[in-house]
Amino acid sequence: MSEKQKYDFIPQLDNPANVHHIELRLVPKDSYVLDVGCHTGILAGALQQFNNARVVGIDTDASALAVARTRMKDALLLNIEETGWEAVLVQQGWKNFDVILFGDVLEHTRDPEAILTAAKKLLKPGGRIVVSIPNIANLRVRIGLLFGRFAYADSGILDRTHLRFFTRTSGRQMIERCGYRVTETDVAGYSLPHWLIKRFSGLLAVQLVYAAEIATT
């Protein structure tokens, strides 16, 4: 296996406040899943092990995909910021997914709405997307702004590779503008009880999680 990648992690699947626990909960058992931005396939491996999912992963990092292919059957080099990325998958027979997972990936893109709109062509009727995005309104960011600080970092909410920023409301509105109906929301965070993060989600959530289906009206 290659050296550790930047976005490698150890899934905390027993912690209800952890985003990976929430994402696994929102993916039904036995689902056919497209993991967008799969990186080294750690979450895909957990989906296969615990949810009996069949997972196809896509990413732009060839070295990460080399590791991902040891954890999942199909991991493809594909850039979702290129027009027609969804057509490439359809042409290769990758379509009719039960779930398309966008786990902390849309904030790295220039036009997340175009990506979410295109993804509808890959969902089976009744399928869902699961989206997790960082919460720019988190208390730590607010306090930093209060004192005139907005410092990018190597990871976290202010990861220097983030191009877009979201609040609980703006994240939902983005998904709805793309023709989806949000069916469930949840929040994730660090070192605090899940109930407390949910109670004060606008302040305490580190990540915002949405499940949504294609709107019918």
Side-chain angles (χ1 to χ4, degrees):
M1 186 170 292
S2 73
E3 63 182 271
K4 182 176 175 61
Q5 299 280 327
K6 176 181 177 182
Y7 296 108
D8 273 353
F9 55 85
I10 298 175
Q12 299 178 34
L13 303 182
D14 59 346
N15 178 3
N18 183 269
V19 68
H20 307 121
H21 173 100
I22 296 169
E23 288 167 342
L24 260 70
R25 179 180 64 78
L26 292 174
V27 174
K29 300 287 186 181
D30 304 312
S31 291
Y32 180 32
V33 181
L34 176 64
D35 184 0
V36 178
C38 66
H39 199 55
T40 60
I42 294 178
L43 186 58
L47 284 166
Q48 292 173 155
Q49 180 179 355
F50 297 104
N51 290 24
N52 195 36
R54 178 191 174 196
V55 187
V56 176
I58 58 175
D59 205 285
T60 58
D61 187 332
S63 62
L65 286 171
V67 181
R69 293 187 184 105
T70 69
R71 294 173 170 149
M72 55 199 297
K73 182 178 179 180
D74 299 299
L76 314 173
L77 186 67
L78 189 61
N79 187 351
I80 59 173
E81 296 213 76
E82 293 181 355
T83 301
W85 66 272
E86 79 287 358
V88 173
L89 289 173
V90 171
Q91 290 166 5
Q92 296 184 15
W94 308 111
K95 56 184 178 179
N96 295 323
F97 290 98
D98 297 300
V99 180
I100 301 178
L101 176 61
F102 294 94
D104 299 308
V105 64
L106 293 175
E107 63 271 20
H108 297 272
T109 66
R110 296 184 301 273
D111 192 352
E113 292 190 28
I115 293 166
L116 288 176
T117 300
K120 291 189 291 185
K121 302 173 186 177
L122 299 170
L123 279 175
K124 67 181 293 186
R128 66 170 58 173
I129 59 170
V130 175
V131 174
S132 65
I133 48 180
N135 175 30
I136 192 63
N138 179 270
L139 182 60
R140 290 187 179 183
V141 179
R142 294 192 193 204
I143 291 174
L145 287 171
L146 183 64
F147 290 95
R149 296 193 301 269
F150 192 85
Y152 285 97
D154 291 333
S155 61
I157 296 172
L158 295 180
D159 186 313
R160 65 185 75 258
T161 65
H162 289 179
L163 302 179
R164 300 293 298 270
F165 298 95
F166 304 94
T167 65
R168 181 179 54 183
T169 299
S170 70
R172 184 186 189 109
Q173 290 173 339
M174 173 187 68
I175 293 169
E176 291 175 342
R177 282 196 301 270
C178 296
Y180 295 92
R181 178 178 64 87
V182 174
T183 57
E184 187 172 350
T185 63
D186 208 335
V187 289
Y190 309 135
S191 306
L192 292 171
H194 193 212
W195 69 265
L196 183 61
I197 299 170
K198 293 181 73 170
R199 177 66 179 83
F200 301 101
S201 58
L203 286 174
L204 301 181
V206 175
Q207 287 145 302
L208 310 162
V209 188
Y210 309 83
E213 300 175 349
I214 296 175
T216 58
T217 58

